[in-house]
Amino acid sequence: MKKIEHIGIAVHDIEEAKERYTLLFGAPPYKEELVESEHVVTAFFRCGPNKIELLAATNEASAIYKYLQKNREGIHHIAYAVDDIEIEMQRLKNQGFRLLNEVPKKGADNKMICFVHPKDNHGVLTELTAEIKN
Ligand code: CMX
């Protein structure tokens, strides 16, 4: 794993959260994206070399919808950048981590992603991300 790629924050209302984080950073999101496969709408902010992803559910099938039924708004996951996502997935699988998708899937911000169960990381939902090379 190379670095923290972003921190994901679950919110109820993406428009309201975007306004608040635009005030916080003094700059608007550099990217806004609907990820239909994940049933989320996202907004990405830069903070120096780091990124913050706001996530809101688009419907009740969304993991964010379920999360916010049980929890308050707040940090939902930490994403790490990896070079080769398949190698990292296999490495973690061999060590007994539960991968939440068996093959890499397309995520937001031009990434292939894989989630690792929060219970295998002391309560933190963990995401592997690899840049899609065009
Ligand atoms: N962080 C920490 N713990 C979490 C969690 C999170 N984000 N989401 C769920 N949990 C915990 C729950 O609190 C629950 O714990 P207890 O059993 O102690 O109550 C346990 O995990 C099971 O949670 P659940 O509410 O019953 O939900 P599910 O098991 O159905 O799903 C999870 C949980 C993590 C497997 C599912 O949300 C998932 O597959 N997530 C990955 C995909 C995702 O999150 N997509 C949205 C983001 C997309 C993006 O970034 O683009």
Side-chain angles (χ1 to χ4, degrees):
M1 303 224 188
K2 296 194 295 187
K3 60 169 187 172
I4 291 178
E5 211 286 327
H6 66 263
I7 294 174
I9 297 177
V11 304
H12 287 291
D13 182 331
I14 195 79
E15 293 306 322
E16 200 180 286
K18 256 168 26 189
E19 277 179 30
R20 172 59 46 175
Y21 274 79
T22 296
L23 292 175
L24 180 70
F25 293 126
Y30 70 89
K31 187 180 262 193
E32 296 176 44
E33 196 174 338
L34 175 69
V35 186
E36 284 186 33
S37 55
E38 292 292 313
H39 311 282
V40 293
V41 59
T42 67
F44 284 89
F45 291 83
R46 287 194 201 285
C47 176
N50 304 309
K51 295 178 190 170
I52 296 294
E53 177 189 29
L54 302 180
L55 296 142
T58 54
N59 59 50
E60 294 183 9
S62 172
I64 300 300
Y65 177 84
K66 188 170 185 184
Y67 182 80
L68 288 175
Q69 291 287 100
K70 293 188 176 176
N71 303 278
R72 293 174 193 276
E73 293 183 306
I75 293 178
H76 177 259
H77 65 263
I78 297 180
Y80 298 92
V82 303
D83 278 327
D84 187 320
I85 196 163
E86 288 181 357
I87 288 176
E88 281 301 313
M89 286 170 68
Q90 192 58 54
R91 184 178 72 80
L92 294 183
K93 200 171 170 177
N94 292 345
Q95 288 171 347
F97 289 87
R98 279 167 292 170
L99 304 182
L100 295 170
N101 46 289
E102 282 297 316
V103 291
K105 57 183 178 178
K106 173 102 173 53
D109 204 23
N110 200 42
K111 302 281 189 304
M112 294 309 287
I113 63 171
C114 176
F115 283 94
V116 184
H117 204 286
K119 297 283 180 196
D120 294 344
N121 296 295
H122 294 263
V124 179
L125 177 60
T126 298
E127 181 183 5
L128 308 180
T129 71
E131 201 78 35
I132 297 174
K133 296 176 183 98
N134 295 311

